Amino acid sequence: ANAGFLRPNSVFTLVLVTDEEDCSVSDYSLFGSDPRFSSVPSNIRCYEFTDDGEVIYPIARYVDGFLGLRRTPELLVFSAIVGIPLDTEGAASAYDFDAVLRHPDMQPLADVTGASVRPSCTSASGAAVPPIRIVRTAAQLHAEGANVAVTSICASSFAPAFDTLISRVVVAIDACD
């Protein structure tokens, strides 16, 4: 039904808007009462188990999949409006994803209850948790030549996030020629 929808020379833009971490599992028992995981509170499990493919899909699965949608990486735009701390947006816009990931609030530490991960940022709308896998996905896509934007969902307005997204789309459109 969608034959021809993804033309080879078109720009493909993927926008994630979430206050959660990616927890794409290959083993759904992570969310149940499986004894392998039951010693870890359910809201922390996505941070505790590696992305080796046995429990959580490796990031490379998504990097390769997204890149495979375009004939060249420059035609892919990946934008993530996620729970990065507000004071890391400058590093993210400079593609210094290591600095974002090193930020103390990006460390997946248990909150005071021990049942959840403490927020990486908060806003009037609520709290977000560290999007470590999403930032790593963005970093790898950027390293491969994709147009990437990572901004904070905790900003008081999404206008700067959309301005950044639009600037990345413009760069990608210029690559269409």
Side-chain angles (χ1 to χ4, degrees):
N2 290 322
F5 178 74
L6 286 177
R7 296 174 319 281
N9 293 328
S10 65
V11 172
F12 183 80
T13 303
L14 174 63
V15 180
L16 298 177
V17 181
T18 183
D19 59 1
E20 296 289 337
E21 167 65 305
D22 169 57
C23 191
S24 301
V25 297
S26 54
D27 183 348
Y28 285 95
S29 63
L30 179 70
F31 302 120
S33 58
D34 188 309
R36 295 177 295 161
F37 312 118
S38 61
S39 66
V40 177
S42 59
N43 287 340
I44 299 177
R45 292 178 187 172
C46 296
Y47 293 99
E48 290 293 317
F49 299 96
T50 64
D51 63 348
D52 61 5
E54 290 184 30
V55 178
I56 297 177
Y57 284 117
I59 291 168
R61 176 181 199 244
Y62 303 100
V63 171
D64 295 343
F66 298 152
L67 290 172
L69 295 172
R70 303 293 70 211
R71 67 173 172 78
T72 64
E74 296 83 15
L75 297 177
L76 173 67
V77 178
F78 178 84
S79 176
I81 304 172
V82 293
I84 64 170
L86 287 169
D87 60 347
T88 65
E89 283 193 310
S93 68
Y95 307 112
D96 187 356
F97 298 113
D98 288 337
V100 174
L101 292 168
R102 282 192 310 268
H103 190 281
D105 291 336
M106 286 292 289
Q107 309 316 305
L109 303 173
D111 68 5
V112 294
T113 69
S116 294
V117 174
R118 71 183 168 103
S120 50
C121 67
T122 57
S123 72
S125 300
V129 296
I132 296 166
R133 287 173 47 86
I134 297 170
V135 172
R136 287 182 179 154
T137 299
Q140 288 183 24
L141 287 168
H142 174 70
E144 293 291 332
N147 292 286
V148 172
V150 177
T151 53
S152 182
I153 198 168
C154 294
S156 60
S157 167
F158 281 179
F162 285 110
D163 289 343
T164 302
L165 168 60
I166 290 166
S167 72
R168 301 303 192 269
V169 170
V170 168
V171 169
I173 289 172
D174 288 345
C176 285
D177 299 332

